[in-house]
Amino acid sequence: MKKFTNILTAFLFAAFFAWNMNAMAQTYFITVVQPNGGESWAVGTSHLISWKDNLTTPVKILLSNGGAYAVIPGATSVTGSTWTWNIPAGHATGTTFKIKVESKIDNTIHDESDAVFSITAHTSGGTIHVVQPDVTGISWAVGTSHLISWTDNLTEPVKIELSTDGGSNYTTLKASATGSTWTWNISSTQTTSTTSKIKISSTTDATIYDVSDNNFSITAHTSGGTINIVQPDISGISWAVGTSHLISWTDNLTEPVKIQLSLNGGSPTTL
């Protein structure tokens, strides 16, 4: 029995030592994704600040205008990997802004925008910002339904238009839409394209509009049903144990879907 106890003690000590060394070797990181330089955001509009990290604790988001950083109001304890910034009326404008995302408990763990971005004045009676589709990698199939979303500070409705040639020509999808979302039921006869863009404009002032920053694809409906993973679907995504993240997809199914996870590039298990 004594020999067994000694062996068990030695095993537990070795396991604890290995765990401790692994914990000490853990390198925490934060990488700012957006804004990362070159963006131009207007006062009175809303934008997504996003980052990657492997933390299990919240972060805080800070802003610099060419000088010292200060925490953005409301961003002192943020979980997940995105945060919507509603840029308030009266906010300072300029061309030398940077965002810093920093661990709430260890300010040595942080990252900032690689280059400066601009905050511009609210130069007209209204502003519009396309939210979706607005990032790279979006692919929507004909015969499926998808949410087009935007932010604005208008009192009048907006017009939603589609371009399938990278923004040279547009056709109207919805002549008058209110609110900030509209469901697009993509016709089975819709032209396919890899250079599609959405334009949203004021119905009373054509000079007030916004266009998708990036092209998205409209693909053929190749089978009786389609599923397209939206997130996570790009390289470099890192989600930490103990945090919450959105798994999202598009489909044209009537039945529920099953979500599975693989930790080794295959052999998935159901979540």
Side-chain angles (χ1 to χ4, degrees), residues 106-261:
D106 184 352
N107 61 15
T108 66
I109 304 171
H110 65 266
D111 187 44
E112 63 181 30
S113 309
D114 287 345
V116 296
F117 70 98
S118 300
I119 296 178
T120 61
H122 191 161
T123 56
S124 69
T127 58
I128 299 172
H129 173 65
V130 175
V131 175
Q132 180 173 292
D134 197 47
V135 297
T136 58
I138 289 179
S139 180
W140 293 348
V142 300
T144 60
S145 299
H146 299 273
L147 204 65
I148 295 173
S149 59
W150 65 94
T151 59
D152 68 60
N153 62 350
L154 309 177
T155 57
E156 70 273 15
V158 298
K159 178 170 67 171
I160 303 172
E161 298 174 278
L162 169 70
S163 171
T164 56
D165 56 10
S168 297
N169 298 281
Y170 285 92
T171 58
T172 299
L173 294 177
K174 181 71 173 177
S176 180
T178 58
S180 59
T181 61
W182 179 71
T183 301
W184 180 25
N185 301 307
I186 306 177
S187 167
S188 59
T189 60
Q190 173 63 53
T191 302
T192 60
S193 166
T194 59
T195 56
S196 304
K197 284 182 176 287
I198 288 293
K199 178 180 181 180
I200 300 179
S201 58
S202 165
T203 52
T204 61
D205 185 346
T207 65
I208 303 172
Y209 68 90
D210 189 38
V211 176
S212 308
D213 289 340
N214 298 280
N215 292 332
F216 70 98
S217 297
I218 300 173
T219 61
H221 192 161
T222 57
S223 70
T226 59
I227 299 175
N228 177 53
I229 294 175
V230 176
Q231 179 173 291
D233 197 42
I234 58 174
S235 60
I237 289 179
S238 179
W239 291 350
V241 172
T243 60
S244 300
H245 299 273
L246 197 68
I247 297 173
S248 57
W249 66 95
T250 59
D251 67 59
N252 64 345
L253 308 177
T254 56
E255 70 273 15
V257 300
K258 178 170 64 175
I259 302 174
Q260 296 176 289
L261 171 70

Side-chain angles (χ1 to χ4, degrees), residues 35-60:
N36 207 34
E39 294 88 352
S40 180
W41 293 350
V43 169
T45 60
S46 299
H47 298 272
L48 204 65
I49 296 173
S50 59
W51 63 94
K52 298 183 292 185
D53 69 58
N54 63 347
L55 308 178
T56 57
T57 54
V59 300
K60 53 186 176 180

